[in-house]
Amino acid sequence: AQTVTQSQPEMSVQEAETVTLSCTYDTSESNYYLFWYKQPPSRQMILVIRQEAYKQQNATENRFSVNFQKAAKSFSLKISDSQLGDTAMYFCALTRGSTLGRLYFGRGTQLTVWP
Amino acid sequence: EPEVTQTPSHQVTQMGQEVILRCVPISNHLYFYWYRQILGQKVEFLVSFYNNEISEKSEIFDDQFSVERPDGSNFTLKIRSTKLEDSAMYFCASIKTGGNTEAFFGQGTRLTVV
């Protein structure tokens, strides 16, 4: 079974500061992919960043980067220079390489960026 | 930019009624999914659809649920006899080539069963 755990229901950060959202996962698969999705108040899920498990290098996308610790099954998201528009629910998700894209989601972390 | 569109954005229905939620995936995508999110809870997988058939379904996706791609563009989720606990946000998603590629989500349909 695949499980994704986000232990922080809520986080807040001041604009321009850095924040890290935590995620741990469990899977018996050797081939899998990890994602962070953002869900703003509009409710649409938007991909923030993804990581292939076979890659050791941590993924980065502009202000967003991950700390992928494969042995510890940890996949945290770091947001640098936080902006008001980053306020959203953030979901960590996993998909097995062997399946046709089914995503397993964590419960989400509500991030609030304040001025 | 291509996007997944869902209609309606909000539907209110009486318990026991049938509802059909509609989705138009991105045109060159091959894999389609329905997820639901009960308020305050995690996003849960319902079903995946590929090559005009269900490829995987969760334990939530019982006989009350069905999916269809009737005309090569729309992808629908039907709930035959709605229950109060079906109240949730339902998301459609599509993927171009499967597995590790990005899933594009629609904006969701909020279903309220009264």
Side-chain angles (χ1 to χ4, degrees), chain A:
Chain A
Q2 288 27 253
T3 59
V4 178
T5 303
Q6 293 178 252
S7 57
Q8 304 154 316
E10 296 178 358
M11 295 276 287
S12 63
V13 64
Q14 191 169 19
E15 201 174 8
E17 296 296 308
T18 296
V19 64
T20 299
L21 308 184
S22 301
C23 172
T24 58
Y25 63 91
D26 193 21
T27 179
S28 56
E29 302 276 324
S30 57
N31 181 24
Y32 57 92
Y33 304 84
L34 296 160
F35 305 85
W36 278 97
Y37 276 89
K38 169 184 176 180
Q39 187 182 41
S42 65
R43 307 296 293 179
Q44 187 158 12
M45 303 273 268
I46 303 163
L47 179 67
V48 174
I49 198 166
R50 76 174 193 192
Q51 174 80 42
E52 292 89 341
Y54 62 84
K55 286 189 178 178
Q56 291 188 329
Q57 187 173 7
N58 289 326
T60 62
E61 284 287 340
N62 301 313
R63 297 183 296 107
F64 299 88
S65 61
V66 298
N67 183 4
F68 175 46
Q69 301 289 324
K70 191 171 184 178
K73 294 185 177 176
S74 168
F75 182 62
S76 60
L77 174 70
K78 185 170 86 171
I79 306 174
S80 304
D81 187 25
S82 298
Q83 300 175 0
L84 297 179
D86 295 333
T87 292
M89 182 72 90
Y90 287 80
F91 290 99
C92 180
L94 173 150
T95 188
R96 297 176 293 171
S98 59
T99 60
L100 298 174
R102 169 182 175 173
L103 288 164
Y104 298 82
F105 285 91
R107 288 191 173 273
T109 296
Q110 176 63 49
L111 176 67
T112 301
V113 181
W114 47 282

Side-chain angles (χ1 to χ4, degrees), chain B:
Chain B
E1 185 175 327
E3 58 180 17
V4 177
T5 57
Q6 290 185 242
T7 54
S9 56
H10 189 192
Q11 175 139 11
V12 181
T13 188
Q14 287 202 323
M15 192 168 54
Q17 295 296 303
E18 174 183 287
V19 294
I20 297 176
L21 310 183
R22 291 184 166 80
C23 169
V24 179
I26 296 173
S27 62
N28 61 350
H29 285 194
L30 301 177
Y31 300 82
F32 314 110
Y33 308 83
W34 283 101
Y35 293 85
R36 79 172 186 191
Q37 184 182 27
I38 295 172
L39 187 64
Q41 299 189 24
K42 67 164 65 178
V43 178
E44 301 172 294
F45 168 79
L46 292 177
V47 66
S48 58
F49 192 85
Y50 169 70
N51 200 23
N52 284 319
E53 60 183 22
I54 291 173
S55 50
E56 188 179 1
K57 59 183 181 180
S58 72
E59 58 278 5
I60 303 168
F61 194 88
D62 60 21
D63 292 344
Q64 296 275 75
F65 293 89
S66 62
V67 289
E68 200 176 37
R69 190 161 154 80
D71 56 11
S73 61
N74 290 285
F75 178 50
T76 62
L77 174 69
K78 182 192 290 187
I79 310 174
R80 270 181 258 286
S81 178
T82 50
K83 306 171 201 169
L84 293 176
E85 54 265 37
D86 293 327
S87 294
M89 197 76 169
Y90 288 81
F91 291 100
C92 173
S94 69
I95 291 179
K96 189 173 183 180
T97 58
N100 61 333
T101 54
E102 178 181 354
F104 289 81
F105 284 81
Q107 76 278 25
T109 293
R110 179 172 297 285
L111 176 65
T112 303
V113 183
V114 297

